[in-house]
Amino acid sequence: MKHIIPVLILSLGFSVCQAQVTEPCDCVQLQGDITANTTLSAENCYTIDGCVTVKSGYSLTIPAGTVLFGMKSTNGALMVERGAQIFINGTSSNPVIMTSDQTIGSRAKGDWQGLAIAGDATNNQSNDIDVDWSCVIPSGGTDDNDNSGEIHHLQVHYAGSNSNTGALTLASVGRGTEIEHVQITNSANDGIQVMGGVVDLEHLTAYDNEGYDLRAEFGYRGRGQYFTFVRKDINAYLAGGSGGILLSNSFTSPNFSETPKTHPVFSNVTIIGPKHCYGSPLSSNYAGITVQNNSEGAIVNSMISGTITGLRVLGAGTVLNANNEDLHIAYNSFYNNATNFSSNPSNFDQSGTFCVSTIDDWMIDNFIGCEEPSNDLMGSAPGYSSTICNSSYCGSGNRPSFVLSTDNLQSSQFPTGTEWDDAFFDQSLAYVGAIGATDWTTSYTDWCPEETDYCPELMKKAEPEDIGKSELEIVPNPASGIAHAVFTSEYVGKGKISVVNKMDGQALIESSIIIEKAGNQRIPIDVRKLRPGSYIVKVEVGVQVVYGQVMVY
């Protein structure tokens, strides 16, 4: 029986979740436009088939524990238009999960596009930015209090199939939107991309993304606290630039002068590169923090370890912003970076009146008067749990623990009158970085998504040990010509029999049937055109659905 949500203009139907080893998973297929207020059910799983777009004026609500699979074959994407809303209501113990539809062992970075939200807040591109994926949604307006919904406790894995975009892309999203406890892993591009807007961000984690874990540009002016970004894979980088955080005002050379300027304020970030654990660096174009193209902002009370360059400041306009105190990198700790600081131009006095001429002198306070205060070059490793450096996060006992085992970090500072002396920020912290005595990532994150079986037990059908006692028996089995589906029907009338590929969920055979009398049935199936292998057989009559398996030789 087809699974239909009546309020959607969508193509919905049976599919086999590919995030399995052997068992099929009966999912609802999402396809097309959502044109009514819609709530999904955690009792179902869902496949995102191509661009699924929440249209302006409508909302999509996703309850705790719901699993959605982005389809690789159609480059799945979940898009939320300007004027629409999404409510992702995961909990710490029961997050919402968005991941690849591929099988264990076959999932790869960029299997699908990801989640994009467009809002009505301002940006510096004439308040007009398109999210240009395989389908396009515009963003931008004049309402910085715009509300695009809420995201609580969300995992996003194996997305990022579009270049220069994030697995989670936020375009011109307003401060009325709530976003907290989001994990992005294995993106083929950026983890989170924020283009304009003023939305605040809390408790973000990222793992082995290829681009930047957080990329902010086009006039983004939000606040953020508690980010844990980990890059262990020495091959997880893009030649054009990668790292923990990228701040960029625009891409209109030579001055990049559009306003409002990109100017976020972030506190308590931990950025861990592979050199932290292995002494092996990434590409020379990998940095913990990159500030470029006339961007402003503040990144404070943070820990950067194991990168090629801890802080990279690019462009004369960006350096001038530092000279004019519109850029602050203060109260941070740096450890085991190949180079702690670099700038281009190397002359850090772009105003002609600045008190220092190099980025090293700007970052290390020698009490001249214009330096950034209390940046610390650590001589010993931060006291993080050694489990962060486990060779694999998969298998029993290998999950990393993001706790501060030994408190050898300086305290966070929120001086009166600074931009980060703000009610948004938790100011009671005895450490810099995002990692403290309590691991806030414990229950809502998955650090081994490549081995996770996402199909809930209640959705599994026709398990191998059930063959021979299934409600649907195939005879002969194995078969090479005409087989018969033998079952007992409770209903009369029209129905359908399908033979489904277990690996990609495609119905290879679909035939209409008519049941004239309830009771025992024997329906022929011609399997001569199928390749050798194991297939799911599904019969639908009325509200009755029965499953079996056939082996073709």
Side-chain angles (χ1 to χ4, degrees):
M1 177 174 99
K2 284 197 174 183
H3 297 260
I4 299 175
I5 303 175
V7 295
L8 300 182
I9 298 180
L10 293 173
S11 171
L12 303 177
F14 172 81
S15 66
V16 175
C17 293
Q18 298 177 38
Q20 302 300 308
V21 179
T22 56
E23 299 91 346
C25 182
D26 191 8
C27 288
V28 176
Q29 188 175 36
L30 304 179
Q31 185 181 64
D33 295 335
I34 296 178
T35 57
N37 294 334
T38 301
T39 299
L40 304 184
S41 170
E43 294 184 357
N44 297 321
C45 58
Y46 297 85
T47 54
I48 302 170
D49 184 359
C51 281
V52 177
T53 305
V54 186
K55 302 297 287 185
S56 179
Y58 302 105
S59 67
L60 174 65
T61 300
I62 306 177
T66 306
V67 180
L68 299 93
F69 297 104
M71 291 183 66
K72 180 176 181 178
S73 61
T74 59
N75 202 18
L78 181 56
M79 317 282 281
V80 181
E81 281 192 345
R82 177 174 55 193
Q85 291 182 305
I86 187 167
F87 296 93
I88 296 177
N89 296 327
T91 65
S92 61
S93 60
N94 206 15
V96 170
I97 299 169
M98 299 182 181
T99 189
S100 166
D101 71 338
Q102 297 298 287
T103 56
I104 292 173
S106 298
R107 299 165 191 160
K109 297 177 181 181
D111 275 347
W112 63 297
Q113 294 181 83
L115 169 62
I117 302 174
D120 197 37
T122 55
N123 57 63
N124 66 18
Q125 301 294 299
S126 301
N127 294 330
D128 185 13
I129 295 175
D130 285 343
V131 179
D132 191 9
W133 289 9
S134 60
C135 49
V136 179
I137 56 174
S139 78
T142 59
D143 183 7
D144 279 347
N145 292 314
D146 183 46
N147 183 350
S148 295
E150 300 178 9
I151 297 178
H152 305 284
H153 297 97
L154 169 69
Q155 298 175 17
V156 181
H157 306 294
Y158 298 107
S161 61
N162 297 297
S163 61
N164 298 314
T165 63
L168 172 61
T169 293
L170 307 170
S172 310
V173 175
R175 63 171 57 95
T177 309
E178 297 181 19
I179 298 178
E180 53 91 14
H181 289 94
V182 176
Q183 182 190 33
I184 310 290
T185 79
N186 296 290
S187 171
N189 283 279
D190 299 324
I192 299 175
Q193 180 185 32
V194 193
M195 301 189 292
V198 293
V199 64
D200 294 328
L201 306 169
E202 297 182 70
H203 293 95
L204 307 179
T205 61
Y207 177 50
D208 276 355
N209 299 312
E210 297 276 308
Y212 294 96
D213 294 315
L214 175 59
R215 173 176 179 154
E217 56 199 6
F218 297 132
Y220 171 64
R221 287 149 291 128
R223 302 164 295 184
Q225 190 173 28
Y226 296 122
F227 305 160
T228 299
F229 299 155
V230 180
R231 193 85 55 112
K232 286 176 60 210
D233 182 358
I234 63 173
N235 297 310
Y237 67 89
L238 299 177
S242 297
I245 295 175
L246 170 67
L247 306 183
S248 186
N249 191 53
S250 72
F251 296 92
T252 309
S253 61
N255 297 320
F256 314 101
S257 57
E258 292 89 340
T259 59
K261 285 188 178 180
T262 297
H263 192 124
V265 180
F266 297 147
S267 182
N268 299 97
V269 179
T270 291
I271 298 171
I272 296 176
K275 195 171 184 290
H276 174 87
C277 295
Y278 309 127
S280 299
L282 281 164
S283 157
S284 60
N285 209 15
Y286 176 88
I289 300 168
T290 299
V291 189
Q292 68 176 22
N293 294 4
N294 204 10
S295 182
E296 302 174 350
I299 300 176
V300 299
N301 299 320
S302 295
M303 176 74 221
I304 297 92
S305 175
T307 70
I308 288 290
T309 306
L311 168 68
R312 181 170 57 187
V313 177
L314 303 178
T318 315
V319 173
L320 185 60
N321 291 337
N323 295 174
N324 293 333
E325 297 192 24
D326 292 319
L327 173 63
H328 290 287
I329 311 292
Y331 306 102
N332 302 300
S333 293
F334 295 82
Y335 173 73
N336 197 26
N337 302 291
T339 300
N340 284 311
F341 320 120
S342 72
S343 71
N344 186 7
S346 58
N347 178 13
F348 216 74
D349 180 11
Q350 291 296 303
S351 66
T353 59
F354 204 46
C355 75
V356 297
S357 59
T358 69
I359 189 172
D360 294 85
D361 288 337
W362 178 61
M363 286 294 292
I364 301 301
D365 190 356
N366 292 311
F367 306 102
I368 298 174
C370 68
E371 309 99 325
E372 291 296 275
S374 298
N375 288 308
D376 175 30
L377 302 182
M378 297 184 67
S380 59
Y384 293 155
S385 168
S386 61
T387 62
I388 293 174
C389 293
N390 287 343
S391 59
S392 171
Y393 289 166
C394 297
S396 177
N398 288 330
R399 179 188 173 93
S401 177
F402 291 94
V403 294
L404 189 60
S405 301
T406 303
D407 187 0
N408 62 343
L409 299 177
Q410 61 179 332
S411 297
S412 291
Q413 303 292 325
F414 298 86
T416 301
T418 60
E419 293 179 283
W420 52 101
D421 175 28
D422 182 292
F424 170 82
F425 295 102
D426 175 7
Q427 300 188 22
S428 62
L429 306 177
Y431 53 88
V432 297
I435 299 174
T438 302
D439 186 354
W440 50 264
T441 75
T442 296
S443 48
Y444 88 96
T445 55
D446 183 356
W447 298 93
C448 182
E450 61 267 39
E451 294 187 3
T452 301
D453 180 349
Y454 292 103
C455 190
E457 195 66 33
L458 64 93
M459 296 181 219
K460 291 178 181 176
K461 306 293 184 183
E463 298 187 5
E465 59 267 29
D466 292 335
I467 297 301
K469 58 182 180 180
S470 170
E471 294 175 319
L472 176 62
E473 184 179 3
I474 309 298
V475 292
N477 195 3
S480 62
I482 302 297
H484 289 83
V486 179
F487 63 101
T488 300
S489 178
E490 304 170 15
Y491 300 91
V492 297
K494 294 182 179 179
K496 183 173 71 172
I497 187 168
S498 306
V499 180
V500 178
N501 188 327
K502 293 172 64 174
M503 296 303 293
D504 63 11
Q506 291 185 335
L508 304 178
I509 298 174
E510 286 188 330
S511 300
S512 297
I513 60 176
I514 297 177
I515 304 299
E516 297 180 346
K517 183 179 179 180
N520 295 333
Q521 311 295 325
R522 186 180 176 92
I523 308 297
I525 314 168
D526 187 349
V527 299
R528 286 176 292 185
K529 293 184 179 180
L530 296 180
R531 294 180 178 179
S534 180
Y535 299 87
I536 302 300
V537 179
K538 178 184 179 184
V539 175
E540 306 167 74
V541 183
V543 296
Q544 182 183 12
V545 183
V546 291
Y547 297 88
Q549 293 195 34
V550 61
M551 180 66 70
V552 177
Y553 67 93

